[in-house]
Amino acid sequence: MEAENRQQWQDRYRNGFFLAPMVRVGTLPMRLHSLKHGADLVWTCEVIDKSIIGTQRIVNDTTGVVSFVKDGRDIFATHPDEKAKVVFQMGSATPELALEAAKVVEKDVSGIDLNCGCPIKFSIQGGMGAALLEDPDRLCAILEKLVQNISIPVTCKIRVFDDEEKTLSLVRQIARTGISALTVHCRTRYMRPREKAMWHRLNSIVEELKPLPVVLNGDIFKYEDAQKARTSTGATSVMTARGAAANPSIFCAKGGIPARDAVVEYVKIAMNVGNPYSNTKYTVLQMHPDTRSSEFRALQSSKCYQDMCAALDLTELYHSEAKQRISDYADPMQAKRDAKGAKRPPTETKTSADNSVKRVKA
C-alpha cells in the first residue's frame, strides 16, 4: 500500500460518527436511514466468510439493490447510494477464507472490517469474533492477508481485556498489520450491554497507537454522548449501535426527529429497497417508542407490508408506489394473499338498479 493511499484511508475514519454493526437491525434500510441523517460511515451486520463465498451477485433493476444470493436466500444486500460509505463486516477464522470472501464484495463496498469482538457461542466455537482476541497471531495473519491483497481499507473491531497491558500488547500487534483504523468496544468479552462501557480504557490505546485512528464503541445513546466520548478519551471517532437502533436521526447535529417519525421514515426506506418484510418488522418493533400503544400492537400482529402500512397510515403510499417495488420473496404473506385472490372464481350478482347481471370477483 502506498503511503499516500494509507493516509487517505486513515483520514476517512477521523472526526466521524458511525453506525455500528448490529445483528438483524443493521441491514440496508437502517444503513440508508442513518446516512440520510448524517452518519459518516455505516457498518453492515456481520457476514460469515463461508456464507458470502459462492453467492451470485444480482442487481434489481427496479430498486437498484445489489444482492448476493445463495440457495435462494439473500446473504447480503447493498445499494449504490451507500457504496462510498459502507463497511462490510466479516466473521472469519482463516486468512484464506477471509480473502476469498472479501473479494466477493470488494467492488460494492468501501471497506472491510474483521469482527474480533463478538462473544456469542456460534462465533467463539468457530474460532471467530472474540475467540481471535486469544489468538493474536491468527487474528493478525487474517488482517495482513486482507491488507496485502484487496484494494480498499481494512479495519477491525475488538473488545478489551481485563488486563490493560495485555490489551495494549494486542493493539500494538494489530496496528503493525497495516490496518486503516481500529474500533474498540469498551467492554470485555464477558460484559453484557447493561454493564457500563469503560470509556476510560480507551485513553491509553489512543496514545499507544497514534496516529492510527481509534474508534470508540459503547454507550452512545444521543448525539451529545459522541462529543463527550471524544473529548474524554481522545478517540478519533465514535460509533453507536443501540442509539441508532432507537432512532437513526441520532447522527444529526442539529437535532433528530421524533422516534415515531423515524419509524415511519424507516418503513418507507425499507419498502423503497424491497427489504424482506420479516426483517423490517423486527427492526420496527425495536424502534417503536410506545410498546403499550394500539399502533404497536397492530404492528406486532401485522403479517405483511400492507398490514404494517395500515397500522402506520401509509396505505395510500403502499398501493400507489411501494407495492410494485416489493418482491414476493420479500413479502411472502402478501404474495399468498394475492395468489389466493387471483384464484377466486367470478361470481354472478344482480345490480339493484335494473336487475342486469354483472360478473365480478368474489
Side-chain angles (χ1 to χ4, degrees):
M1 184 197 314
E2 297 179 2
E4 183 178 353
N5 279 348
R6 184 189 297 272
Q7 185 62 51
Q8 289 178 350
W9 287 356
Q10 288 186 0
D11 286 347
R12 75 197 294 265
Y13 297 97
R14 301 187 195 278
N15 304 313
F17 193 7
F18 307 148
L19 176 70
M22 288 183 283
V23 176
R24 295 185 71 180
V25 174
T27 50
L28 179 58
M30 176 60 69
R31 301 196 304 267
L32 293 176
H33 200 177
S34 298
L35 289 170
K36 177 180 178 179
H37 286 285
D40 295 293
L41 293 173
V42 292
W43 267 243
T44 70
C45 309
E46 178 193 28
V47 180
I48 306 303
D49 52 14
K50 293 178 182 179
S51 295
I52 199 73
I53 292 170
T55 54
Q56 179 183 6
R57 182 182 183 276
I58 299 174
V59 179
N60 185 313
D61 292 333
T62 300
T63 63
V65 171
V66 179
S67 298
F68 293 83
V69 180
K70 182 192 288 186
D71 299 328
R73 186 167 66 93
D74 284 2
I75 303 300
F76 170 61
T78 184
H79 192 279
D81 286 353
E82 69 169 355
K83 182 178 179 180
K85 295 188 175 184
V86 63
V87 178
F88 181 84
Q89 190 183 64
M90 179 195 310
S92 184
T94 62
E96 294 74 23
L97 287 178
L99 178 59
E100 188 176 354
K103 285 293 184 182
V104 173
V105 298
E106 182 179 12
K107 302 301 181 183
D108 289 292
V109 300
S110 68
I112 299 291
D113 184 74
L114 180 66
N115 182 353
C116 306
C118 181
I120 65 173
K121 185 177 181 180
F122 171 82
S123 291
I124 299 297
Q125 289 182 335
M128 302 177 289
L132 290 171
L133 298 176
E134 300 292 351
D135 192 350
D137 289 342
R138 185 157 54 92
L139 188 166
C140 291
I142 296 171
L143 292 175
E144 288 173 351
K145 190 77 167 180
L146 293 170
V147 168
Q148 294 168 11
N149 291 281
I150 64 174
S151 60
I152 54 179
V154 176
T155 59
C156 75
K157 186 171 184 282
I158 68 168
R159 290 181 177 234
V160 297
F161 294 112
D162 288 320
D163 184 279
E164 185 169 12
E165 185 50 47
K166 186 177 180 180
T167 302
L168 292 177
S169 176
L170 173 66
V171 300
R172 283 193 291 265
Q173 190 173 348
I174 289 174
R176 289 195 290 269
T177 65
I179 60 171
S180 295
L182 174 70
T183 298
V184 180
H185 185 164
C186 297
R187 292 184 174 90
T188 69
R189 163 182 170 179
Y190 302 101
M191 292 174 67
R192 300 281 71 86
R194 65 180 178 275
E195 299 178 77
K196 185 176 177 61
M198 301 182 293
W199 287 4
H200 65 279
R201 293 292 305 277
L202 203 72
N203 298 74
S204 58
I205 297 174
V206 171
E207 289 299 318
E208 188 71 30
L209 298 188
K210 282 183 177 178
L212 185 72
V214 177
V215 183
L216 178 149
N217 178 217
D219 288 355
I220 305 297
F221 299 112
K222 54 183 184 293
Y223 186 85
E224 293 73 21
D225 290 340
Q227 309 313 307
K228 180 180 178 181
R230 289 181 59 187
T231 300
S232 64
T233 67
T236 314
S237 295
V238 175
M239 176 182 284
T240 182
R242 287 178 290 163
N247 190 334
S249 68
I250 186 178
F251 298 102
C252 184
K254 296 181 180 179
I257 62 176
R260 199 269 179 184
D261 292 350
V263 170
V264 172
E265 205 172 82
Y266 173 86
V267 172
K268 290 179 179 179
I269 293 171
M271 292 192 297
N272 191 54
V273 296
N275 192 56
Y277 171 74
S278 59
N279 177 253
T280 300
K281 179 178 178 178
Y282 176 84
T283 305
V284 163
L285 295 180
Q286 304 302 307
M287 293 176 63
H288 200 283
D290 188 356
T291 59
R292 296 183 178 182
S293 66
S294 58
E295 181 175 86
F296 183 83
R297 291 193 296 272
L299 291 168
Q300 276 186 310
S301 63
S302 65
K303 304 295 184 183
C304 58
Y305 273 115
Q306 185 172 358
D307 294 350
M308 178 175 284
C309 286
L312 295 171
D313 196 24
L314 294 174
T315 298
E316 182 177 349
L317 175 69
Y318 172 78
H319 288 291
S320 63
E321 299 179 26
K323 185 175 181 180
Q324 58 266 35
R325 303 179 69 85
I326 303 168
S327 68
D328 291 349
Y329 168 84
D331 198 358
M333 179 55 71
Q334 187 62 48
K336 289 181 180 179
R337 289 181 182 178
D338 290 344
K340 185 176 181 180
K343 291 178 181 178
R344 289 177 181 170
T347 302
E348 280 195 350
T349 62
K350 292 185 178 180
T351 66
S352 58
D354 57 4
N355 275 352
S356 61
V357 175
K358 285 186 175 182
R359 297 190 67 84
V360 298
K361 286 187 178 180

